[in-house]
């Protein structure tokens, strides 16, 4: 070791603690009182971070996720507990089957690990009232992230890399994600660990596409450094500038997002396609990215081509069609609503233009023996009422504007009534249609029942015949005529509570 | 040559013409009628472009700049003339001393060549009523530009690369700059030239930092392609996405620009520092970039560090100081005005808060033998008028609010009056100041004459004594007293015509 290197190795680590004080308290905005939840893998970066934060007098909670992907992971979890206890810090160890999760969610194991980890960290942070979640990304990680995005194709949102403090993040609207080591190079971290006699796990649970990172670390970046000695600093600062540029973009994006968002639920987002298409292309792209982030928070495997595919669909959708994007996200159009939906989400009853849709699980049946009020799924209920005042029926029917109310000739109706979803082969003879019945599926298309709702649309059946398609049409057979003596009033009602 | 390669080489070039039709007429928005001014170096790219545009039936003017940097350049200019005439196209050849220009403007030879070339192209385009200026940048140029910006440090504005059609550009507010080959790879260009038996100049006047481009072309990009075969397409598309992102940023930037711009003239820009500092950092950076582009249109040598230096100065300026940035651009603060000025610009008389400042060239003198009206520089004039009605003087003087008007005791005044700028050693005894005279430079500081205007501020001298500093103060010696018998009225007036 040369004299200069030696002196640097000796002074740098001591300096690091001092140099990081403004980062911790200003850039990351941490305070010394409220607890900080520290994501701790046991690798060099998180070990250095934990030590620095601890030395800075912060109130810390150590959180470690055992991903159960390697045999030694349980032992490592045990070591984490011992280390934390040795430093007098509370520790949370969680074990999760990441492999199973990745299969269920149709995502890569790396992506799944990341998602499980962050969900764990933020759920614990919330539970413990932490002021922030801290993770150990370094300046080298930042440079690698930018290069990775560049080599794979990206926009400003990818090339800008990570921030010292992210709020809101994909993971939380109110708990910030902080990265105290984002401006610290790996070399300084290693020197710090050595000077402080800290020993990280040799092969920690670092699941970031390892091969790719190694290519960047060991081949591309050293190669670039031969011709551009300051390349890492330059890329780091480029990310810094892009982050500022993107912050401006985000203010416009937030505005456009408010105007464009029609509907949002667990696992789905609906955008107003007309307003969407009126935006600048850069905003459209950002809106797709945000929608994907609402449907699958924190997803990274959604690249340029997929954003483009989503944009292409939005611009010229196949009206009847549906487009499967990456990561189990589907895209389809319903009226002017552009839906982005996670594969596992049941949207059959999701509201549209303010109206929730009724639904009944395909395969189930509700049998109604007598008039009365019967609960259905999702706060819907069916009211079946005897009416014998024919004059009143005529008056009410004429004034009625609610498609979820119908009057049927009681003499034709046969109890028990059955409420069920459609079945293969169902036919229907709508009131007023000349001639005979038609396929129920054709009827549903004709009257524009949203495709996603058709399979679970409740039908009222009397003696194996579809008597009523609530919201749309009565069957010819059951219509009230001047000859009707008694009438049954059916109504499908939704209550908000 | 393999069968596939052969068939590609044979079909591709013919295809190119067809593939470029939508680019020419849609992306570049050219029409077949009005002339297009084609920047033509004679190298492969511009030769291919010229041929394609010619084959597409456009109305073309060939424009070639002889940079006079290589001995063979005059011969090349001759060949250009012959080629254009052979194709029946009008041609403009211009010769300019780029080396001299680069020295005068304190910029690199490459930067100077680029600036001279674009100025030539756009001035000819304007002169000839061209609908656009076309230049031969290729898809490879785009990728190289993005990488160059990344390796040197940049923001979205740099990484977004070039556009098929730029309007406004650094060069013109109304004539677009178009790049028909921006989506065409160099390999296809070469194949096209070969198939059409077109021979470019071997070493054309391509002045883009040649060494650096070669490093990218022959080392870095081929290296990246080994691990990322589609890297060029990816970077090209990244630029595409960034351009869309930047377009959004630019709408906000244009807004902020309007609010922030106080003043603009040939070679200088004044921003309102308070409004500037209220902007988001990404906007501040963009405003600096735009200001630099107004002061030195098309400058590329203004990098991250220099933008940062400008920002740092704007955020905490040395009030008395001035900061020299790159490319002969200076930065200083005057009140709340943040000035960016090209070194060669004379801003001594530039207006501030709506008022033009008077000036007289240092070293010159205007001698006034008799009352009358005397023109000064920049549409200013000095009116010297006899007044013998002392009552009227008192009435007018009391009502006067114009600091550019003064009344002097005629008996004390001695013709010829002299109007000149300050000289080393000048002293002044302002009206109302106890005691004696002070250094004129101290007086100027006290009354806050803008620093930039002090050296050319016109002074009225009588018998070697400063009688009046227009806009500020009369000298004690010349004040009108009850004993005065006759009065001279001096006024410095500005007319807009």
């Amino acid at each position: 070791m040369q004299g200069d290197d030696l002196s640097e190795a000796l002074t740098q680590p001591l300096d690091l603690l001092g140099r990081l004080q403004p980062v911790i308290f200003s850039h990351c905005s941490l305070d010394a009182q409220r607890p900080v939840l520290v994501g701790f893998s046991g690798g060099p970066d998180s070990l250095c971070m934990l030590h620095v934060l601890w030395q800075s007098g912060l109130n810390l909670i150590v959180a470690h996720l055992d991903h159960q992907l390697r045999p030694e992971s349980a032992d490592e979890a045990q070591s984490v507990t011992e280390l934390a206890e040795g430093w007098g810090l509370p520790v949370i160890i969680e074990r999760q089957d990441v492999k199973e999760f990745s299969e269920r969610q149709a995502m890569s194991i790396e992506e799944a690990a990341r998602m499980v980890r962050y969900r764990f960290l933020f759920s614990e942070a919330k539970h413990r009232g932490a002021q922030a979640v801290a993770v150990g990304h370094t300046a080298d990680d930042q440079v690698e992230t930018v290069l990775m995005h560049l080599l794979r194709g990206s926009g400003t949102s990818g090339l800008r890399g990570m921030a010292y403090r992210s709020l809101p993040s994909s993971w939380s609207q109110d708990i910030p994600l902080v990265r105290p080591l984002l401006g610290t190079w790996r070399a300084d971290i290693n020197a710090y660990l050595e000077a402080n006699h800290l020993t990280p796990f040799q092969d920690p649970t670092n699941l970031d596409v390892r091969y790719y990172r190694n290519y960047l670390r060991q081949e591309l970046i050293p190669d670039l450094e031969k011709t551009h000695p300051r390349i890492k600093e330059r890329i780091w600062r480029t990310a810094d500038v892009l982050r500022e540029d993107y912050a401006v973009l985000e203010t416009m994006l937030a505005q456009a997002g408010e105007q464009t968002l029609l509907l949002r639920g667990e696992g789905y987002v609906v955008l107003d396609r007309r307003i969407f298409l009126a935006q600048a292309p850069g905003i459209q792209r950002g809106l797709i990215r945000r929608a994907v982030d609402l449907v699958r928070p924190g997803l990274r495997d959604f690249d340029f081509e997929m954003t483009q595919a989503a944009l292409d669909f939005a611009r010229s959708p196949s009206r009847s069609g549906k487009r499967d994007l990456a990561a189990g996200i589907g895209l389809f159009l319903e009226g002017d609503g552009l839906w982005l939906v996670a594969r596992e989400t049941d949207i059959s009853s999701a509201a549209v233009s303010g109206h929730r849709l009724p639904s009944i699980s395909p395969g189930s049946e509700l049998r109604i023996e007598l008039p009365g009020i019967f609960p259905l799924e999702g706060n819907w209920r069916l009211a079946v009422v005897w009416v014998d005042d024919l004059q009143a029926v005529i008056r009410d029917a004429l004034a009625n504007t609610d498609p979820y109310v119908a009057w049927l000739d009681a003499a034709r109706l046969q109890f028990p009534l059955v409420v069920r979803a459609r079945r293969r082969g169902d036919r229907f003879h709508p009131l007023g249609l000349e001639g005979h019945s038609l396929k129920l599926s054709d009827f549903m298309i004709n009257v524009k029942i949203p495709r996603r709702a058709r399979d679970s649309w409740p039908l009222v059946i009397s003696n194996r015949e579809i008597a009523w398609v609530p919201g749309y049409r009565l069957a010819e057979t059951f219509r009230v005529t001047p000859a009707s003596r008694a009438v049954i009033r059916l109504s499908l009602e939704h209550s908000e509570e």
Side-chain angles (χ1 to χ4, degrees), chain A residues 109-140:
Chain A
I109 199 98
E110 292 81 8
E111 188 78 33
R114 204 171 140 270
M115 207 159 274
V116 167
R117 192 164 59 241
Y118 277 102
R119 285 192 189 171
F120 155 63
L121 294 175
F122 277 89
S123 118
E124 287 297 333
K126 191 173 179 181
H127 183 60
R128 313 253 173 162
Q131 61 173 312
V133 168
V135 292
H137 294 113
T138 66
D140 294 86

Side-chain angles (χ1 to χ4, degrees), chain A residues 282-351:
Chain A
I283 294 286
Q284 292 183 2
R285 211 174 279 279
L287 288 173
I288 293 289
R289 236 170 17 235
R290 282 166 70 102
V292 167
D293 198 55
L294 289 172
V295 171
R296 289 233 187 275
L299 180 73
R300 286 199 299 193
D301 285 353
F302 198 86
D303 66 8
F304 179 80
E305 274 80 10
M306 289 182 263
T307 311
Q308 191 60 47
L311 281 174
D312 290 345
F313 182 88
R315 288 168 188 168
S316 32
S318 50
R319 283 249 155 203
S320 60
K322 191 179 143 138
R323 172 97 201 219
D324 279 320
L325 301 173
I329 298 174
L331 192 64
F332 66 89
L333 196 68
E334 183 178 300
D336 279 319
L338 185 65
W339 289 68
L340 272 96
V341 184
R343 191 167 60 182
E344 70 283 5
T345 308
D346 177 16
I347 50 156
S348 59
S349 66

